[in-house]
Amino acid sequence: MSDILDNIAVVKSNIRAAAEKSGRKEEDVIIVAVGKSVGVNKILAAAYAGINDIGENTAQELSQKYFEIDIGLNWHFIGHLQRNKVKNVIEKVSLIHSLDRMPLAREINRRAEKIGKTINVLVQVNVGEEESKFGINIKEVEPFIFEMASLPFLKVKGLMTIAPYFRNPEMVRPYFSLLRNFKDDLSARNLPENVEMNYLSMGMTNDYEVAVEEGANVVRIGRAIFGL
Ligand SMILES: *Cc1c(COP(=O)(O)O)cnc(C)c1O
């Protein structure tokens, strides 16, 4: 378990350096430790090392760990979300990173209204327009966001992307900077009341330093924390 402590120290110091390059501080970046297929003990170790945010990509794993690790962590849903699973995660999540279609938005809104809670979401953008990835293309984001005005129990907090994979993270930089500029342009628009552009969730083990340099303020890191 001490390796998890060491890993987190390394990740934090890398994030500090990257944040400083973009004129920000380490505390401006939220580290979501991605716990998919990671056991409860390792997640607890990460929590003791100062991690407050855990990401899961299945409703099953999130629900199970949410009950097993009852220490007030923030749970993030980061995977593809099926409509029939919304009811299982809605009361547990702090943020859903993967809103990518209207029927899902309507279902989240419907369930949220039932429990009287507003649900925070990010719109997942397929910044590389890859067939293999979920998310909506950049040019569809703006009309999508304006449709959210009719769903008052949703609160859009920003954008998320899973960038194309390159072994050399420098190759990903243009995709991150594209999304960052797009987000800044959107922020300057007159957005619906339930839409704000506070968060940019981008960067994983391979590329989080570049992502932070390019403006990410949420990174989702699995292997660099829990082991490769
Ligand atoms: C698995 C996963 C991550 C973390 O990936 P690592 O390469 O292990 O850091 C981040 N985001 C999503 C959506 C994931 O599924």
Side-chain angles (χ1 to χ4, degrees):
M1 295 300 162
S2 68
D3 49 338
I4 291 177
L5 266 161
D6 294 344
N7 291 347
I8 289 170
V10 169
V11 165
K12 282 190 171 172
S13 93
N14 290 341
I15 286 176
R16 186 183 317 124
E20 278 168 8
K21 279 192 194 170
S22 58
R24 295 175 302 153
K25 296 194 290 277
E26 182 189 335
E27 310 86 77
D28 298 333
V29 181
I30 297 170
I31 301 173
V32 176
V34 176
K36 59 188 184 203
S37 67
V38 169
V40 164
N41 287 342
K42 287 189 173 182
I43 291 176
L44 282 170
Y48 291 128
I51 293 288
N52 299 313
D53 295 85
I54 305 294
E56 292 291 344
N57 70 341
T58 68
Q60 160 101 37
E61 252 187 283
L62 188 145
S63 297
Q64 201 175 331
K65 289 176 192 170
Y66 175 87
F67 290 118
E68 285 174 8
I69 309 173
D70 187 15
I71 56 170
L73 296 171
N74 303 320
W75 294 87
H76 296 246
F77 193 86
I78 62 171
H80 181 63
L81 184 53
Q82 289 170 293
R83 257 189 303 167
N84 64 358
K85 297 288 163 56
V86 169
K87 60 178 180 298
N88 302 334
V89 298
I90 193 141
E91 284 173 292
K92 308 177 182 92
V93 284
S94 305
L95 184 62
I96 296 173
H97 291 227
S98 47
L99 181 68
D100 62 355
R101 59 205 191 277
M102 207 49 205
L104 177 62
R106 280 192 218 101
E107 174 65 4
I108 295 171
N109 186 70
R110 189 174 79 83
R111 294 277 175 186
E113 181 167 16
K114 265 192 176 170
I115 61 169
K117 178 184 166 191
T118 304
I119 302 298
N120 297 323
V121 299
L122 303 179
V123 174
Q124 182 172 352
V125 183
N126 185 355
V127 76
E129 305 200 359
E130 296 170 279
E131 286 290 343
S132 60
K133 298 237 165 92
F134 291 108
I136 62 183
N137 291 348
I138 271 200
K139 59 183 176 300
E140 295 158 4
V141 172
E142 194 178 329
F144 184 73
I145 274 175
F146 278 88
E147 281 193 85
M148 296 303 125
S150 64
L151 304 174
F153 286 86
L154 272 193
K155 178 98 185 157
V156 177
K157 301 290 255 182
L159 306 176
M160 175 272 217
T161 197
I162 304 173
Y165 174 78
F166 293 100
R167 196 174 312 162
N168 174 1
E170 275 305 319
M171 303 288 287
V172 198
R173 190 181 292 278
Y175 294 94
F176 290 147
S177 88
L178 176 70
L179 194 62
R180 193 266 161 86
N181 287 325
F182 177 71
K183 172 191 160 280
D184 289 347
D185 289 347
L186 266 183
S187 312
R189 302 286 311 274
N190 199 1
L191 297 172
E193 222 173 276
N194 62 336
V195 176
E196 47 188 56
M197 285 290 134
N198 292 343
Y199 291 125
L200 193 51
S201 167
M202 58 186 195
M204 315 184 356
T205 290
N206 273 313
D207 53 21
Y208 67 92
E209 293 160 272
V210 174
V212 170
E213 285 171 19
E214 294 300 330
N217 55 7
V218 181
V219 291
R220 310 176 309 268
I221 301 182
R223 290 168 301 143
I225 290 176
F226 294 113
L228 297 172

